[in-house]
Amino acid sequence: MTAQLTAPATRTWQADPYVDALRAGQGPLFLRRRDGWLLPLDVERWCAGPDAADDTVLARCTGPVLDIGCGPGRLVAALAGLGHTALGVDVTPEAVDRTVRAGGSALCRSVFDPLPREGGWATVLLVDGNIGIGGDPAALLRRAAELTAPGGSLLVEVAAADVDERVEVHVEDGAGGRGAAFWWARLGARALDAKAEAAGWTRCDSWQTAGRHFSHLTR
């Protein structure tokens, strides 16, 4: 089930127009649902240094940190600069290359592939909407639990709205470029709590800053 869900997304994130946007360091870039609804993707923020909201995530990181779907690596590089052992995982070679160039460590790999230090990460990150990876948050939360050390933390960025949806989307650039369709998910805090509890997580904190919403889960 997981492989079927993640394979189309893997192909998408390795191809245009997402890679073109990463190389340029800017959008516009969107996720489009089949009904036409658009979700803007904040490529410029991803390719910049950590902002004030990111700083609140970094401040809650302890021990070795795994960033799932690290993108161009702003958090991984910042964590390395703070003295953390940090690793990014992303299926896009360009994202991994950018992370390494920024001073971080990263692997071009799916989160569902074998990874270093399984069961030993003190903090795992799912920010920038990455709880949606594969369109199956329950499976992703179970996988995160396998990767995290007992008593470890999972820091998740959630949607501001009270939403729980699994949708078919594709990436497009607003100028005619589009990628293949794949499954994605969006969760608000309440939906995350329900799925997290079933996967063995407990919410110990939540916060909002600069229009972004986060939850701190523990095993």
Side-chain angles (χ1 to χ4, degrees), residues 171-192:
V171 177
E172 66 174 49
D173 60 12
R178 60 183 291 171
F182 61 97
W183 291 102
W184 196 253
R186 295 174 66 233
L187 295 182
R190 185 165 63 174
L192 175 68

Side-chain angles (χ1 to χ4, degrees), residues 144-155:
E146 293 173 351
L147 295 166
T148 309
S153 297
L154 177 62
L155 306 181

